[in-house]
Each structure stands twice: as structure tokens, then as C-alpha cells.
Amino acid sequence: MLMDLLQLTIAEAHALLVRREISAVELTRAALERILAVDNTLKAFLDIDDEGALAQAAVADQRIAGGNAQPLTGIPLAIKDVLCVRGTITTCGSRMLENWVAPYDATAVARLKAQDAVLIGKTNLDEFAMGSSTENSAFVVTRNPWDPTRVPGGSSGGSAVAVAAGEALGSLGTDTGGSIRQPAALCGVTGLKPTYGRVSRYGLVAFASSLDQIGPFARTARDCALLLEAIAGADINDSTAAREPVPSYAAMLDGDIRGLRIGVPREYFVAGMEAGVEQAVRAAIDCLRELGAAIVDISLPHTRYALPTYYIIAPSEASANLARFNGVRYGLHIEGENVIEEMELTRGAGFGPEVRRRIMLGTYALSAGYYDAYYRRAQQVRTLIRRDFQQAFQQVDVIAAATSPTVAFPIGAKLDDPLAMYLSDVLTLPASLAGVPGLSLPCGFADGLPVGLQLLGRPFDEATLLKVGDVYQRATDWHTRRPDLTALTGNEP
Ligand code: GLN
């Protein structure tokens, strides 16, 4: 019998494992069978490690038998392919690293392994995490399980789909400008971008180092709490990983948000927002009011500068970070007459069009004569955006808005129009620039496609976001809805 992996949360699977009603090996087999059934179509995964996963599961079963289970012991998880997992191919969705094998584990990955979680494979993404649809992957197009003609969002599209389609119980993604929150919204799962510095970036291939954060996808806020608790905290290998103590996030989900102040920023109900999205989000905010929160109108006046600011700062940092792919040290190498020609040939062949566009934008913005006009200016505006949030959080505890102005769009719809693609992130970019945490929760449907509610919090106050998310999920059932994949799996759920 194939287990109904689609319905199981991490917390529920853990309970079954410790009661020995299922084994980690069974759970892992079920995940692998599910991948076999659906992933030919959905293409969430770039690499599946059957053997490694089953071996890890067997170790997890021993640990459980010894009475030493931790919350993630034996839980099948998927990892975005921009994170190093020792001994496995880490492509970043790029030809440049097509055959590059990671020589070490990212800290977040090592911390999952320390709990004997089962890492089943690496998930597809936009090349070097640049994009909002996962279509910029050099390898495959990942499809949205709610409608396979549509994108899953991005850049962590594969990690969102793996959870939405029951191929894994949780996953890790990364969010630089929205890449966890937006695909979580478009795929109907729960995703958390932690505060900048909450999770070590060691072993994450860098895109924009002042923005990049690793975070979890799962079916519930509670599961995200368990995953965050596992991966967060200081790290000797990353000086930007904060020393701030890591609370027991799951233990703080006490089901009570009475008196909590939730701000609704008027600038977040933007032109171009789909009516069905706005309705679902407003209904979710009403629900939070009924659950005891005080809803307050607020303003984040510099919101409209976030997109241009981000598209100066992120490409600038990317152009510097990606300079290391020079055909000598990592991955692809193409022979030429001399070192310059080799570099040109390698970078020309190794990077796709969006990555090349970012490198050119960033190099331009950082060049002599333009640095002050663009890069310095953008840093100044970033400070104003950060202050917007500081001021808002003097009035309110949490900010609520939509995660994405639209539901999942058709594959190909925005490929020829980079600006339209960039606009997918108008509602997630400000929090990224400010460094504050953001949670996206399923809050309804528009045209049969999932809508996400975005909750933003004070720096290092993930606990409050998770608590509000948990309270909302106790009161509603949007997060329990599953896409109908019977066409792919036959009779199986
Ligand atoms: N879509 C945004 C970009 O293309 C954000 C990507 C991300 O968060 N990694 O840069």
C-alpha cells in the first residue's frame, strides 16, 4: 500500500515513527515511489539519491529503535540544488556547474543530517536562483502540480513542488528577493524566509550575499518551526550567521494571538493585483481579526522603490560573486588560445541569458562613474526601506499582505519580458531589502489556483510569525488542500 504521503505533516510522521507504526525506510520508499509516479511530469528534482536515502533511513530506524529520535529523524526532505550536499552534484541549475560535485555539506544540510533526516534529492531552480518561475533552469521546466501548464514560481520552484506534490514532507529553499515565499504561495504550501543572518549561508552558492537566506518549505507553520529550529543559529564558518539564541519555535506555538497588532500596508494592494488574490488575502486578514488580532492600517511609504533598488543591489552583488566562475577553478572549462579567450568562451557557454543580463547590469552599476549614481544611491534607498519597517514595527507586531500579486502564470508567459517577471516579486522584495523575516501561508484559491498570505515580522521574531501561521492553520483548512494528481498516479492519491 502506498502511504498517503500527501496528507502527512512532519509532526504527524514523527509521531508515527516513534510509535513504530511506520518505519523511516517505509516512509522513504513511499516518497521515492511517489517521485517515480509524478516527477516525470512535474520535474521538481534534478537528482534523486535513492540509495543514499534508503541507507540514511535505515540509520534513522536504528536511532528511533534506540529511543533517540529527534523531530526530523527519518523524515524525507528535499534540498534546493544551490546548497552543497557532500558528494552530490550541485548544479545551481547552471551548465557552468553541470558536473560539479560538492566537497562538503552546507551548514543547514549538516544540521539536518545531524538529526538523521533523509535527504532524498536535489530540486530544480532558476539558474543561480535568479528568477521567479524556475524557467531559467538550464535543465528542465518544473510544473505546478495544481495545473501542469503553469509555473510553480521561483526560484525555489522544485522545493515548493516537492512538498506540494507529496514527494517530500519538507524541503529547503533560498530567498534573496522572494524565492521561498513566492513559490510557496503559487504552489499552496507554507514557506518561511528567516531574518537575514538567522541561518548560516555556509555552503550556499552565493547570489547576493547581503540578501540571501536559507529557509524551509512544509505543509504547516508547525513543520516550518521544526525545520527552522534545526537549521538556525551561529556558525563558525559564516560570520553573518547571528549569535542570537535559537528559541524552541515549535514549543512557542501556543494557539493564542489575542491582542496581537497586525498592520496592513496600504501600498501592498498594488495596481495589477488580481481581484481573486486580493479577496482571498482580505478574507484571511478578517479571519485573523476574528481570532483576536487587532488589524491596523499602516503605511510603508518607500515600497515602490524596492524593485528598482533590488535590481541594482542584487545584480551588483551577483556580478561580483559570479566572477569566481572563470573556467579555471569550478565546473565548466572550455579550451581557448589564451586565458582571456578561455574565460570568455567558458562564461559565454556556461551562463544562461538571465544570468548574463544580471552580470552586465551589476557590472555597469558598479563601474567607475556610475557607482555613485546607481549603487550608492540604491544603498541609501535601502536604508529608507529598512526604516519604513522599523517605524511600522513600533506600531504593530506583524505585517500582513499578499505574497504575490498574481496566481501561478502559464509557462512561457513572461519569458520574453524580464520586467513583467521582476514584478512577480514586488510584494516580497521590500522585506528582503530590510532583512526582516517573512512567512507565506496558503489562504485560498483564485481560478482554482492557490493564493498566499504573507506575514512579515520584526528581525529575529520568526516565533511570532509561526505562531500567527499556526493559529490561522488551526482555524482554516486551506493548507490541507491537495492538488489532484490522479491523472499522473492512476488510483493513488
Ligand atoms: N525573483 C527574484 C530575482 O530574480 C528573487 C530571486 C530569489 O529570491 N532568489 O532575483
Side-chain angles (χ1 to χ4, degrees), residues 209-298:
S209 306
S210 76
L211 294 156
D212 295 342
Q213 258 304 282
I214 300 167
F217 289 94
R219 307 223 162 95
T220 61
R222 174 172 294 273
D223 284 1
C224 283
L226 295 168
L227 287 162
L228 181 64
E229 211 167 308
I231 63 177
D235 179 10
I236 187 107
N237 289 319
D238 176 3
S239 60
T240 66
R243 303 230 164 111
E244 205 85 15
V246 180
S248 177
Y249 294 107
M252 291 165 81
L253 305 176
D254 61 11
D256 185 5
I257 58 164
R258 273 170 302 171
L260 200 82
R261 294 174 67 82
I262 300 183
V264 180
R266 67 181 77 104
E267 293 83 1
Y268 278 52
F269 292 86
V270 291
M273 173 172 245
E274 290 174 356
V277 170
E278 179 163 352
Q279 265 165 27
V281 169
R282 293 218 187 260
I285 292 169
D286 286 342
C287 173
L288 294 172
R289 180 188 286 117
E290 277 158 32
L291 291 166
I295 307 296
V296 185
D297 280 330
I298 60 163

Side-chain angles (χ1 to χ4, degrees), residues 80 126 128-133 136 154-156 174-182 207 212 310-311 314-315 354 358 421-422 424-425 428-429 432:
K80 184 179 184 180
D126 287 301
F128 289 105
M130 298 174 190
S132 309
S133 69
N136 294 339
S155 63
S156 313
T174 61
D175 190 313
T176 303
S179 280
I180 292 174
R181 289 163 286 161
Q182 186 256 18
F207 162 12
D212 295 342
Y310 174 87
Y311 278 99
E354 184 59 31
R358 305 280 178 114
M421 190 73 92
Y422 296 173
S424 304
D425 301 303
T428 50
L429 295 172
S432 296

Side-chain angles (χ1 to χ4, degrees), residues 57-146:
V59 172
D61 278 329
Q62 279 173 9
R63 184 159 170 171
I64 295 164
N68 296 316
Q70 286 182 270
L72 302 177
T73 306
I75 303 293
L77 302 175
I79 308 291
K80 184 179 184 180
D81 202 23
V82 72
L83 289 161
C84 292
V85 177
R86 188 194 166 106
T88 71
I89 298 233
T90 299
T91 67
C92 301
S94 181
R95 295 272 169 226
M96 189 61 91
L97 292 176
E98 193 164 1
N99 299 307
W100 187 70
V101 176
Y104 63 93
D105 282 327
T107 297
V109 167
R111 287 178 181 172
L112 297 179
K113 284 186 175 176
Q115 290 205 19
D116 285 310
V118 175
L119 307 186
I120 51 177
K122 305 294 290 290
T123 57
N124 196 26
L125 67 155
D126 287 301
E127 187 174 0
F128 289 105
M130 298 174 190
S132 309
S133 69
T134 313
E135 291 165 292
N136 294 339
S137 168
F139 305 114
V140 289
V141 175
T142 301
R143 292 169 183 277
N144 191 311
W146 294 91

